[in-house]
Amino acid sequence: GQNIDQPTEMTATEGAIVQINCTYQTSGFNGLFWYQQHAGEAPTFLSYNVLDGLEEKGRFSSFLSRSKGYSYLLLKELQMKDSASYLCAVTDSNYQLIWGAGTKLIIKP
Amino acid sequence: DAGVIQSPRHEVTEMGQEVTLRCKPISGHNSLFWYRQTMMRGLELLIYFNNNVPIDDSGMPEDRFSAKMPNASFSTLKIQPSEPRDSAVYFCASSLGQGHTDTQYFGPGTRLTVL
């Protein structure tokens, strides 16, 4: 079966750095997305990785290792507004998008 | 530039009633997705349209659910009859290309409560 694993919940301190991991077992791979979802709101796009390596976008970076079936989202200089759920999603060889359950990130002052 | 528009934003209905959710995708986008999100099951894809044609409806729970896309700017998701277990947030999303390799832009969602 197809599976995406993310930690259910993480806690971090304002101003710190946090890394949210995502491991996947899918039938093939055609890209990996990270979305952010604030409570009561819709998911919004953060990043897309299709090749191995690190993609940096401001305070957020996303890393991919296709051989390991692994990605992480790195958030630097955490702000209170970063409190949200972070969803990992993988496009498989049939171009189906498989969604993870999401990681709820709690930022404490 | 308007994003994905959904209506209603909230719907409370009684078991057995028909519910119709509406979605207007971003102009120029070719793909439209209907999702359901609950605490227990997370985000689930119900159905996916490309160029107004249903491509994958394997996520539609049962015959009580139906979706249409009569033109490029409008889609509906209908539940008839509704049941309490249908209570969830229903999101519509659109993307520029086909398939699942393009960024999806989500509407604000419809929070459905079936009593």
Side-chain angles (χ1 to χ4, degrees), chain A residues 37-80:
Chain A
Q37 185 176 23
H38 286 102
E41 298 183 10
T44 55
F45 170 78
L46 283 179
S47 68
Y48 175 64
N49 295 69
V50 65
L51 300 176
D52 290 351
L54 187 68
E55 295 275 345
E56 297 187 76
K57 193 184 294 184
R59 294 189 299 113
F60 292 11
S61 303
S62 57
F63 172 83
L64 174 67
S65 169
R66 289 172 296 171
S67 63
K68 296 182 179 178
Y70 168 69
S71 173
Y72 67 72
L73 182 68
L74 190 71
L75 290 74
K76 303 177 184 176
E77 301 169 15
L78 286 170
Q79 302 176 9
M80 297 302 292

Side-chain angles (χ1 to χ4, degrees), chain B residues 11-20 64 78-84 86 112-115:
Chain B
E11 177 81 27
V12 180
T13 190
E14 293 189 346
M15 183 174 63
Q17 296 298 306
E18 177 180 295
V19 174
T20 299
R64 297 185 298 107
K78 185 176 294 186
I79 308 172
Q80 166 63 20
S82 58
E83 296 182 2
D86 301 331
L112 174 65
T113 302
V114 183
L115 303 175

Side-chain angles (χ1 to χ4, degrees), chain A residues 30 33 35 37 40-43 45 48 87 91 95-97 99, chain B residues 35 37 43 45 56 91 99-104 106-108 111:
Chain A
N30 277 299
F33 292 87
Y35 282 79
Q37 185 176 23
E41 298 183 10
F45 170 78
Y48 175 64
L87 304 170
T91 303
Y95 293 93
Q96 303 299 307
L97 190 61
W99 291 85
Chain B
Y35 289 94
Q37 188 174 42
L43 196 64
L45 177 67
D56 179 6
F91 288 107
H100 297 268
T101 56
D102 284 336
T103 299
Q104 294 185 21
F106 285 75
R111 183 172 295 277

